[in-house]
């Protein structure tokens, strides 16, 4: 629901499943709860519940965690900073995603409401381009990589029949 701009529906689902209470109690512990917490916080912010969204963003940003160069913690940090109005730091966090060994969820990076205000920001756009270029390079190598392991894109050509 958050990805499609249906923030009220997202809030309803997150509240009815107990995720909101975990976020409000600040008892987030599992990876699934972290993802749900972020979705809840972003849906709050996008639906105009700025005060609570900022409170949760501040809490999450200040929680002890590894600040590693990987897209997921960087994108969560950037969302929190965006909600807090710390746009320069948010964009810096987004920029670091270029160096992530893993590719980010494109929809999150492109469509998160917390990043829409950066749509004309050069560094944000460069980050999106670097990721697209990395994906294109991987697609070009895909057939050869699969063949190296005896797999073909066309199942009829695969030696693993």
């Amino acid at each position: 629901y958050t990805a499609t701009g249906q923030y009220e529906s997202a809030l309803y689902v997150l509240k009815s499943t107990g995720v909101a209470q975990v976020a409000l109690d600040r008892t987030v512990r599992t990876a699934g709860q972290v993802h749900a917490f972020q979705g809840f916080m972003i849906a709050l912010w996008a639906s105009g519940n700025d005060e609570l969204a900022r409170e949760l963003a501040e809490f999450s940003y200040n929680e002890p965690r590894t600040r590693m160069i990987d897209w997921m913690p960087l994108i969560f940090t950037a969302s929190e900073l965006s909600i807090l109005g710390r746009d320069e730091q948010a964009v810096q966090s987004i920029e670091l995603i270029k160096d992530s060994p893993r590719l980010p969820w494109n929809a999150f990076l492109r469509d998160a409401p917390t990043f829409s205000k950066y749509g004309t920001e050069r560094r944000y756009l460069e980050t999106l381009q670097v990721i697209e270029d990395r994906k294109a390079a991987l697609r070009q190598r895909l057939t050869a990589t699969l063949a190296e392991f005896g797999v073909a894109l066309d199942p009829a050509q695969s030696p693993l029949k």
Side-chain angles (χ1 to χ4, degrees):
Y1 295 108
T2 301
T4 60
Q6 298 177 44
Y7 309 115
E8 294 300 328
S9 295
L11 290 172
Y12 173 79
V13 168
L14 293 168
K15 287 176 183 175
S16 66
T17 59
V19 168
Q21 198 57 50
V22 168
L24 295 171
D25 292 344
R26 283 134 177 106
T27 55
V28 175
R29 297 290 176 260
T30 69
Q33 289 174 333
V34 170
H35 290 273
F37 176 92
Q38 290 288 325
F40 181 65
M41 179 185 67
I42 291 168
L44 282 169
W45 183 79
S47 65
N49 293 299
D50 295 354
E51 187 176 332
L52 181 54
R54 278 196 277 284
E55 185 181 320
L56 294 175
E58 190 72 45
F59 161 76
S60 185
Y61 181 77
N62 290 315
E63 272 292 285
R65 66 175 137 174
T66 304
R67 303 282 180 191
M68 61 182 158
I69 302 299
D70 188 50
W71 75 267
M72 193 165 293
L74 289 168
I75 213 166
F76 288 166
T77 297
S79 281
E80 294 155 4
L81 290 166
S82 176
I83 288 169
L84 294 170
R86 294 161 58 182
D87 294 325
E88 178 57 30
Q89 289 175 283
V91 172
Q92 288 172 0
S93 186
I94 291 168
E95 265 188 301
L96 291 173
I97 293 170
K98 293 186 286 193
D99 299 323
S100 172
R102 299 183 311 140
L103 290 169
W105 292 343
N106 207 27
F108 197 140
L109 190 56
R110 287 188 176 276
D111 301 332
T114 48
F115 301 150
S116 63
K117 58 183 160 181
Y118 309 129
T120 59
E121 162 62 54
R122 176 189 53 79
R123 295 170 298 167
Y124 172 73
L125 296 172
E126 284 174 2
T127 299
L128 294 177
Q129 188 58 55
V130 165
I131 291 164
E132 287 303 316
D133 292 347
R134 284 179 60 195
K135 288 183 348 186
L138 287 170
R139 280 191 297 273
Q140 277 189 319
R141 294 191 330 242
L142 180 61
T143 303
T145 301
L146 291 174
E148 188 178 321
F149 293 95
V151 179
L153 286 175
D154 180 359
Q157 297 175 4
S158 177
L160 299 177
K161 296 177 186 171

